[in-house]
Structures are given as structure tokens and as C-alpha cells.
Amino acid sequence: MSCSSPCAAPADAACARLSLAALVVAGHLAAAAQQPTHAGPAAPALPTLQPASRLPSSPTPQPVSPPAPAVTTIRPLASPASPAVPATPPPAEVLAALPQARLIGKGALRFFGLPVYQARLWAAPGFDAARYDGQPFALELQYARKLRGPDIAERSIAEMKRVGSFTTAQATAWQALMERAFPDVAAGDRLSGVHTGGGQVRFFHNGRPTAQLDDAAFARLFFGIWLAPQTSAPALRQTLIGEAAGRDGA
């Protein structure tokens, strides 16, 4: 093989050496290409990343409701039974005359809104107010203010005239009797009248006997001040005979 360019004689030897070197290099390269390549240890395989659209979707978390609190049934404690309220006992003078007497009714008499007295009717069970003049009973008046005895007697005569008629002589005698039966009273004092059922009437002041009369006409008219339908205090009458407890008469 010759050089691609003419060479002078002195340079022929150099040209020949270059050609030989080129052939040697080409041979080494060809040999290297035919020998197997000794590779190093294989690198670990990298995980293949999938597109986001192919990733499995995570389940949507569901809201967790808190557990319902346990319901405790609260039962009210049984209240102890209230002790029975004993019945109001009658005053001694009433109990002595009427052992079976019990309180039938009570009410207050007021005058222009001012309390005058508290009235109580005592009688045996089965008392019939429509026939009061033929039955035993007692009427008790507890005064709330000071009053003169003669004024009480005079007012009683005026109220008795509403119930029925009577003579002037009867009025004079009955008023004199009541002035003895009704002394002056102060707040808290009691006047009681006991009717035996046969026309006899007994009067008491704070439990002490003051007068007595056996006259059926007087008994009917006097106690009719509170118990007769013609009374000037019908509301008080109703409370006394038990038809409308709790209302005051006027």
C-alpha cells in the first residue's frame, strides 16, 4: 500500500512507518470489538412509576359518628307519705255538750274589707242545714277586733229581723239577755252558742258560760243570722254549711 502523496526519497521511510502504525491501530480496534465486554454488577431495577390515572384510588374516608351516650333512666325518689293532718278538735265547751261534734265549715265575716270575726260551725255527722233549728250544733265566733258587748247585742236584734218577725217585747227581752251573754270582746276572744236541738241555747265567752235561754223562737231567729237562707251574708253561710269552702262573707 503506498502513501496518498508522493514522498521524496528521504521521507519514504517515515511514510512507511506511519502506514504501518495505522494498520496496527486498526487491528487492535477490530480485536477489541470482537472480545466480550465485562460489565460490572447489574444495577438494581428501578420501579416503574405508573401514571397518576392508573394508581388505585384511595377509598373516600367516611365520617365516623361518635357512639351515642348511654341513656340512664332517672326515676324520681318516692317522697315519704305526708302524715295525716288531724282534724281540728272542737273547743271544750262544744265537746262537753256535743261529744260527736266535728267541724262542718268555717268562714270570715268582713266589713268593708276589714275582718270582724272567724266563724266555725260544729255539729255531728249528717247535719242538715235546711233543718238547723231542730238539730244540735254549736256556732263559734273568734273576733279579730275590739267590740262592745251592747253593740253586738243590738246588731244581733237587727239581723234577727231579717230572718223572721217578732214583737217589741220579745226584742227587748232578747236584747237584755244578749247583753249579759256578750261581754266586750278584744282580738282573739271567742263567743260560742250551743243549740241543744230542742230550743235551748247556751252562751260562752272564751269557754266560760255567760247565759242560757230555753226559747225555740229565739234559737231559730238568732242562729238564722248565719244559717237561714235570709242571712245578710250568704257567702259566709255557704262556707259554714260546707257548700263553698274558702270564700268569705261580707
Side-chain angles (χ1 to χ4, degrees):
M1 184 171 190
S2 60
C3 294
S4 59
S5 62
C7 296
D12 289 338
C15 183
R17 287 194 297 272
L18 290 172
S19 299
L20 180 59
L23 291 175
V24 172
V25 172
H28 281 295
L29 291 175
Q34 295 177 357
Q35 292 181 0
T37 302
H38 297 284
L46 296 176
T48 302
L49 297 179
Q50 297 181 356
S53 59
R54 296 182 181 179
L55 292 177
S57 58
S58 300
T60 303
Q62 299 295 327
V64 179
S65 301
V71 178
T72 303
T73 302
I74 300 177
R75 297 180 178 179
L77 297 177
S79 57
S82 301
V85 179
T88 304
E93 67 273 18
V94 174
L95 190 60
L98 307 172
Q100 295 183 333
R102 64 179 180 86
L103 183 63
I104 301 299
K106 63 181 179 179
L109 178 72
R110 299 178 183 275
F111 183 73
F112 289 106
L114 300 176
V116 179
Y117 55 71
Q118 180 84 12
R120 302 180 184 91
L121 178 64
W122 304 92
F127 175 77
D128 183 2
R131 299 185 298 106
Y132 71 89
D133 56 337
Q135 300 176 80
F137 63 87
L139 184 71
E140 177 191 7
L141 306 181
Q142 185 168 16
Y143 284 83
R145 59 183 56 254
K146 181 186 294 186
L147 290 175
R148 295 177 63 248
D151 293 338
I152 298 174
E154 183 179 357
R155 181 63 183 176
S156 297
I157 290 293
E159 291 294 331
M160 290 166 67
K161 290 179 180 179
R162 297 176 60 96
V163 180
S165 61
F166 48 89
T167 67
T168 303
Q170 287 175 309
T172 302
W174 291 343
Q175 183 168 341
L177 169 74
M178 289 187 288
E179 287 180 357
R180 296 194 306 269
F182 307 149
D184 297 345
V185 296
D189 283 352
R190 295 183 304 108
L191 291 179
S192 305
V194 177
H195 181 238
T196 62
Q200 186 182 73
V201 182
R202 301 172 186 171
F203 289 110
F204 299 84
H205 173 240
N206 292 332
R208 180 181 62 85
T210 57
Q212 178 175 321
L213 178 65
D214 193 351
D215 188 331
F218 172 82
R220 178 180 62 84
L221 296 172
F222 176 78
F223 289 110
I225 295 174
W226 297 272
L227 302 180
Q230 300 91 333
T231 177
S232 62
L236 176 58
R237 174 181 180 270
Q238 289 178 330
T239 65
L240 289 175
I241 63 180
E243 291 182 2
R247 295 192 299 175
D248 293 343

